[in-house]
Amino acid sequence: MTAELPVVLLVDDERHILSALRRSLRREGYQILTANSAEGALETLAEQKVDLVVSDQKMPGANGIALFAELERSGARVPRVLLTGWPEEIPAGELRKAGVTALLPKPWDDAQLKSTLRSCLAGSA
Amino acid sequence: MAAGERTRSEQAALRVLIVEPPEEEAARQPGGVLDVASALRRLGREIQLEVHREPAVALRAMAGGHADLAVLDQALGDRFWSLLDAAGSAAAPALVVVRASDEAFALEAYRAGAADCVRVGSEFGDLLPIAALEQLRRVRHIRSKGAAARLGKRVDDLKRYNEHIIQNMNSALVVIDPGARVAYANPRAERVLGAEPGELEDEDVRRWFPGLPPEEILPLRTLEDGHRFRGAEMVLTRLDGALIPIGLSCSPLVDSEGVREGAVAIFQDLTEIKQLQRQVLQTEKMASIGQLAAGVAHEINNPMGFIHANLCQLSEYLDDLQKVWDRVDGLRTAARRERIDGDEVRRAAADLEAMIGEVDAAFLLNDFGTAIRESLEGSGRIREIVRDLRAFSHQDTTQRAPTDVNRALDSTAHIVWTMMRHSVVLTKHYEELPPVSCFPVQLQQVFMNLLVNAYQAIEARAEQEELRGEIQLHTEVQGEEVVVRVSDNGTGIDPQVLGRIFDPFFTTKQVGVGTGLGLSTSFNLVQQQGGSLHVDSEPGRGTTFEVRLPLGEEGDP
Ligand SMILES: Nc1ncnc2c1ncn2[C@@H]1O[C@H](COP(=O)(O)OP(=O)(O)O)[C@@H](O)[C@H]1O
Ligand SMILES: [Mg+2]
């Protein structure tokens, strides 16, 4: 059964953010994976099929946009959601180049988080 | 000034060249040339007489061109005409002494250029000196209008030029007489002092520095011992009582013999410059507050993010647990009946069981605790940030206070570190320090500038090569000073620009990133506290900034 659940990869260097996101998505019926860096996320993505990536922008090492840009370069089609408190600081051009599907504010609104993820998954299906 | 000029040309002696005829008695006759000589001599030193006996010498003297008047005697005979010619070419008017009534000779002399002819040995014998004087008067007149006029024009031009400069120069200029009174003040000086045109004349300069002992009034010291000052700063009291900062230069005024006859003071109103300086300080402060705010916002935002999400979840958990509680209530009601209905109790218990399973109550209870613990940790982090911030906001910036430099450094580093924790390892080595009397907020501003620079240098180097960013904080006591070092392993500073990094607006950073004000402001802030700021850097290796603060009360103003 679990094999059929959409796989969502959460990426954030802040452990408590991952834990809070997991809490928020508890009832959404996803299989949830986590990574605490862009590098870790790329490893997971190389190992298994992922249906959606949600990543924080500001992280040590590569940031969220860099992670998504890397996915874009490697031709991955997985939808990606960027979590950031300062969306206006990221130029639209970069968002496009990194193939960002949706932006989510931080702190996020639970309902908005859920509906955004749902529509991202529906769009890619 | 024009009067002085006239005096000079009047005083310059007029040279009269007299050529004595061979017959001595003729010369001695009343009205003869020697008579003229003695008459002219009586006029005093205004007239310089040159009496020649040798016509050949007289000719040479005439050719020298220095004579203002030549007195020639008909009795000179053959030499008369060549002497008259010579007078003509030397542009000296010739006064001719005519013997007896010889109209033909006089006419001839006039034709040859004689200025006047006077017959001697007549009843008008006294005429010769009078005629000579008349000629001299003319010469004098012509001179004052000619040569003097030419010279005068140059002097006038120069004077106008100088006057123009002095009148229109951007600095106030005041000439002070030995009695410390104003002999001259240019319009700018009047404006700076808030005086009407001419109002400053004769004013005692001590009035501009009320309350200052004379030895601290720089122009007085210049008057006293000829001391020169350049770019000294003083506070001047305007005529309306307002105080303004001035930049002042004083030099002694000496006459052509080198005798001191007063002082010249040149000064600028520094009000605007000071205001600009304050604005620069303010800009810097705003810039550092901006950087600070960005760092703080980022750091608060993360815990805010999960606390907010957790609260939303906890309220959902509560709803679910409420459902379980409702079933618990149902069971209690069934169990409290007087006559217990076994079926009802069993049904209620099954309901409860089902609900516990449905909402996964075990997980909820467990995760409830976890969410609260994590949130508390987040709120603790925010509380710390706020405490650090309070150090910035809640202090009097104008008062010195005994300050724990370690704490000031640490709380600042903590705030700034929030924006660099992703790329920098911070190591601390704090020695125990006695409290230092200083302006704590300003000190923190300095630390912040140094930390932000260190961070930016690390970021810049990390763009070029793989780098584990490191900032080291170090404090210690050295003799009578507290030493704080902030070291980084960033880009380092090119020796060519090392000498300029403390200059205002010097920056190697992009527009929007660097203001170029951080270090110049920090330098001033540290200096204000009686301390000093030093740099040591090696390109490609890193940079260390060192703040030295005096211990104890010596630093107090
Ligand atoms: N720690 C450092 N490492 C390397 N360069 C530095 C460091 N601190 C200051 N500098 C140099 O000094 C210049 C002036 O610094 P500052 O006055 O703070 O202005 P800004 O940081 O806005 O450029 C910087 O642009 C940089 O070139
Ligand atoms: Mg700076």
Side-chain angles (χ1 to χ4, degrees):
Chain A
M1 279 302 278
T2 44
E4 313 226 331
L5 295 178
V7 179
V8 174
L9 174 60
L10 306 176
V11 191
D12 200 315
D13 61 307
E14 170 78 64
R15 201 161 46 87
H16 293 348
I17 291 278
L18 290 176
S19 138
L21 281 170
R22 201 194 267 280
R23 233 168 244 130
S24 298
L25 299 173
R26 188 173 60 98
R27 296 285 188 80
E28 290 300 285
Y30 303 138
Q31 184 194 340
I32 292 194
L33 305 173
T34 60
N36 56 19
S37 70
E39 292 76 8
L42 286 171
E43 270 172 38
T44 306
L45 282 157
E47 282 164 10
Q48 69 166 92
K49 181 179 168 296
V50 170
D51 298 299
L52 177 67
V53 184
V54 178
S55 174
D56 181 30
Q57 163 63 356
K58 230 176 150 68
M59 291 182 292
N63 61 24
I65 277 284
L67 166 63
F68 290 171
E70 181 57 35
L71 291 181
E72 193 70 3
R73 246 193 311 281
S74 66
R77 306 207 36 212
V78 58
R80 52 212 78 157
V81 176
L82 190 69
L83 200 57
T84 172
W86 283 264
E88 68 284 353
E89 278 181 9
I90 304 166
E94 275 195 43
L95 291 177
R96 223 176 308 115
K97 256 194 285 171
V100 174
T101 323
L103 278 170
L104 266 178
K106 192 177 183 177
W108 62 89
D109 172 67
D110 253 5
Q112 192 189 354
L113 170 73
K114 289 174 194 167
S115 69
T116 301
L117 264 55
R118 263 181 231 141
S119 63
C120 282
L121 282 165
S124 71
Chain B
M1 310 292 133
E5 207 177 291
R6 210 179 306 128
T7 325
R8 202 178 314 134
S9 55
E10 270 172 357
Q11 277 169 351
L14 290 168
R15 294 181 59 179
V16 179
L17 194 140
I18 294 175
V19 190
E20 210 179 315
E23 308 98 307
E24 288 215 30
E25 343 75 81
R28 290 234 165 69
Q29 278 173 10
V33 282
L34 293 180
D35 203 11
V36 173
S38 60
L40 291 177
R41 214 168 257 135
R42 277 197 296 276
L43 290 177
R45 59 189 176 113
E46 248 198 277
I47 310 277
Q48 198 183 323
L49 278 179
E50 214 175 305
V51 182
H52 287 279
R53 278 212 184 79
E54 281 296 321
V57 178
L59 257 178
R60 245 177 284 134
M62 200 89 83
H66 298 305
D68 293 307
L69 176 67
V71 182
L72 304 176
D73 199 323
Q74 190 183 2
L76 282 167
D78 294 349
R79 300 301 197 115
F80 174 83
W81 298 107
S82 48
L83 282 163
L84 185 58
D85 259 7
S89 5
L95 180 62
V96 175
V97 180
V98 182
R99 299 286 159 177
S101 159
D102 190 342
E103 261 86 12
F105 178 81
L107 199 61
E108 191 80 359
Y110 275 125
R111 279 211 188 111
D116 206 354
C117 296
V118 178
R119 206 176 78 193
V120 297
S122 69
E123 62 273 35
F124 301 110
D126 285 338
L127 271 180
L128 187 55
I130 295 172
L133 282 176
E134 170 60 16
Q135 286 307 320
L136 288 176
R137 196 188 59 74
R138 275 195 198 174
V139 167
R140 183 186 290 155
H141 185 67
I142 289 165
R143 207 199 248 183
S144 68
K145 280 185 75 179
R150 269 197 315 278
L151 181 71
K153 186 172 169 338
R154 268 202 59 211
V155 173
D156 269 356
D157 283 352
L158 269 175
K159 215 165 285 166
R160 237 195 322 271
Y161 182 63
N162 275 336
E163 190 89 337
H164 187 78
I165 292 174
I166 290 172
Q167 294 267 329
N168 293 295
M169 65 197 260
N170 254 337
S171 301
L173 181 143
V174 172
V175 178
I176 302 164
D177 73 14
R181 289 183 180 277
V182 174
Y184 173 81
N186 75 349
R188 185 62 169 214
E190 288 164 344
R191 214 163 333 130
V192 170
L193 277 146
E196 297 293 320
E199 196 184 345
L200 295 179
E201 210 94 324
D202 226 28
E203 160 129 337
D204 193 327
V205 298
R206 277 170 286 224
R207 279 192 42 199
W208 305 342
F209 308 99
L212 264 195
E215 66 273 15
E216 280 179 32
I217 302 177
L218 303 184
L220 294 191
R221 285 187 38 200
T222 303
L223 286 177
E224 182 94 348
D225 55 11
H227 203 98
R228 286 167 191 274
F229 297 96
R230 284 202 56 194
E233 286 194 13
M234 290 192 78
V235 173
L236 177 142
T237 306
R238 285 165 49 110
L239 298 198
D240 62 10
L243 299 177
I244 55 165
I246 57 165
L248 173 72
S249 299
C250 291
S251 40
L253 186 64
V254 289
D255 66 11
S256 51
E257 265 109 56
V259 175
R260 242 184 289 131
E261 23 178 48
V264 179
I266 295 176
F267 52 95
Q268 284 93 11
D269 181 351
L270 298 184
T271 313
E272 263 174 44
I273 291 174
K274 294 266 166 187
Q275 226 153 26
L276 251 163
Q277 261 174 3
R278 260 197 301 277
Q279 263 167 26
V280 165
L281 269 180
Q282 187 61 20
T283 307
E284 213 297 308
K285 203 167 148 198
M286 293 316 283
S288 35
I289 288 174
Q291 285 166 334
L292 177 68
V296 169
H298 272 115
E299 186 59 359
I300 289 185
N301 203 48
N302 259 345
M304 268 319 291
F306 62 78
I307 291 170
H308 177 80
N310 286 344
L311 287 174
C312 294
Q313 282 314 303
L314 289 179
S315 101
E316 276 186 24
Y317 286 9
L318 192 61
D319 288 346
D320 282 355
L321 291 173
Q322 183 68 52
K323 287 182 201 153
V324 175
W325 189 250
D326 290 346
R327 303 302 182 278
V328 170
D329 251 2
L331 180 58
R332 283 166 73 203
T333 314
R336 263 202 304 263
R337 294 203 198 282
E338 231 161 273
R339 287 185 48 244
I340 290 182
D341 175 347
D343 275 353
E344 191 195 357
V345 172
R346 261 188 299 282
R347 231 182 301 118
D351 264 2
L352 172 61
E353 212 57 56
M355 187 50 76
I356 285 172
E358 189 188 319
V359 302
D360 197 353
F363 167 83
L364 287 188
L365 284 173
N366 184 45
D367 200 46
F368 208 106
T370 309
I372 282 179
R373 251 195 326 279
E374 289 176 2
S375 300
L376 278 175
E377 198 201 300
S379 73
R381 248 151 68 182
I382 293 173
R383 192 179 54 193
E384 257 178 63
I385 293 167
V386 171
R387 192 201 58 201
D388 291 337
L389 268 183
R390 201 158 30 211
F392 273 89
S393 58
H394 263 264
Q395 277 169 12
D396 191 344
T397 57
T398 60
Q399 285 282 302
R400 272 176 186 273
T403 304
D404 179 347
V405 174
N406 281 339
R407 249 213 80 191
L409 177 64
D410 201 57
S411 64
T412 310
H414 189 253
I415 294 174
V416 179
W417 186 69
T418 61
M419 66 178 178
M420 54 195 197
R421 72 193 149 90
H422 297 314
S423 43
V424 176
V425 178
L426 195 63
T427 59
K428 306 170 183 180
H429 176 275
Y430 299 155
E431 216 176 66
E432 201 162 310
L433 305 175
V436 175
S437 161
C438 64
F439 302 99
V441 180
Q442 281 88 330
L443 193 63
Q444 284 179 305
Q445 200 183 337
V446 170
F447 293 156
M448 189 162 73
N449 282 326
L450 299 183
L451 284 158
V452 168
N453 280 346
Y455 167 63
Q456 288 170 334
I458 286 170
E459 291 274 277
R461 186 171 169 201
E463 272 176 24
Q464 310 300 322
E465 54 186 296
E466 188 72 21
L467 180 72
R468 177 174 169 275
E470 199 174 335
I471 294 178
Q472 293 182 16
L473 306 178
H474 179 100
T475 65
E476 66 181 47
V477 179
Q478 267 183 21
E480 291 300 295
E481 285 179 316
V482 161
V483 178
V484 179
R485 276 196 286 273
V486 177
S487 310
D488 65 68
N489 63 343
T491 54
I493 303 171
D494 186 336
Q496 293 197 316
V497 304
L498 194 62
R500 293 164 61 200
I501 57 169
F502 295 110
D503 293 350
F505 301 113
F506 175 80
T507 179
T508 56
K509 294 164 195 171
Q510 284 178 339
V511 180
V513 178
T515 59
L517 293 173
L519 287 179
S520 69
T521 310
S522 301
F523 192 89
N524 289 334
L525 291 177
V526 173
Q527 217 169 36
Q528 267 171 30
Q529 329 215 4
S532 55
L533 180 60
H534 311 268
V535 62
D536 183 25
S537 183
E538 198 179 327
R541 298 291 302 274
T543 305
T544 297
F545 279 90
E546 189 177 83
V547 180
R548 303 184 80 93
L549 296 167
L551 268 176
E553 302 306 306
E554 300 95 89
D556 287 16

